[in-house]
Amino acid sequence: MTGFPGTHPIKADTVHVVADTLAVTMTGSIVCQGILREGLGLVELVLPDADPQQRRDLERATRYTFELRRGGTLLYQSPQLKVHETRRAGDGALIVTGSPR
């Protein structure tokens, strides 16, 4: 499944992210959801607290793609996205927000 993920959260246990010079697979509690902000459709990806270097690489990235899996089954494959924002959640999770443009 590709395109815009929709407003219902997609919960996964594995994500493979390719961002600029980073390619990493993370496991844990992962959530992807489409959101609207100021009339722009965005994809919000919530990742578990990552290795500090991986986190810094994602925070510096300008573009990224990702694949979500649960139990080995592909749930969602994103198009190439432009990073709009990275921020930390209260529980330490990294939230990456992006759009196709």
Side-chain angles (χ1 to χ4, degrees), residues 1-6 10 32 34 42-43 66 75-81 100:
M1 173 162 121
T2 59
F4 193 71
I10 301 170
C32 171
L42 300 168
V43 176
F66 64 92
L75 301 174
Y76 178 74
Q77 183 176 7
S78 78
Q80 186 172 34
L81 301 167

Side-chain angles (χ1 to χ4, degrees), residues 6-52:
T7 57
H8 296 288
I10 301 170
K11 296 181 181 185
D13 57 24
T14 306
V15 64
H16 181 71
V17 179
V18 176
D20 296 345
T21 61
L22 172 74
V24 64
T25 299
M26 297 179 188
T27 59
S29 179
I30 300 155
V31 179
C32 171
Q33 182 171 352
I35 60 171
L36 290 174
R37 187 181 297 154
E38 299 174 9
L40 183 62
L42 300 168
V43 176
E44 187 172 81
L45 179 62
V46 181
L47 302 167
D49 190 13
D51 169 272

Side-chain angles (χ1 to χ4, degrees), residues 30-101:
I30 300 155
V31 179
C32 171
Q33 182 171 352
I35 60 171
L36 290 174
R37 187 181 297 154
E38 299 174 9
L40 183 62
L42 300 168
V43 176
E44 187 172 81
L45 179 62
V46 181
L47 302 167
D49 190 13
D51 169 272
Q53 185 59 49
Q54 291 173 350
R55 186 177 61 244
R56 283 189 292 274
D57 289 343
L58 281 170
E59 289 171 340
R60 292 182 196 131
T62 58
R63 297 201 157 279
Y64 67 106
T65 62
F66 64 92
E67 291 182 353
L68 291 176
R69 295 184 182 273
R70 184 173 50 231
T73 301
L74 180 64
L75 301 174
Y76 178 74
Q77 183 176 7
S78 78
Q80 186 172 34
L81 301 167
K82 177 183 175 188
V83 175
H84 281 264
E85 173 186 39
T86 58
R87 68 182 190 281
R88 301 290 294 212
D91 63 357
L94 179 64
I95 302 171
V96 182
T97 305
S99 74
R101 298 178 202 172

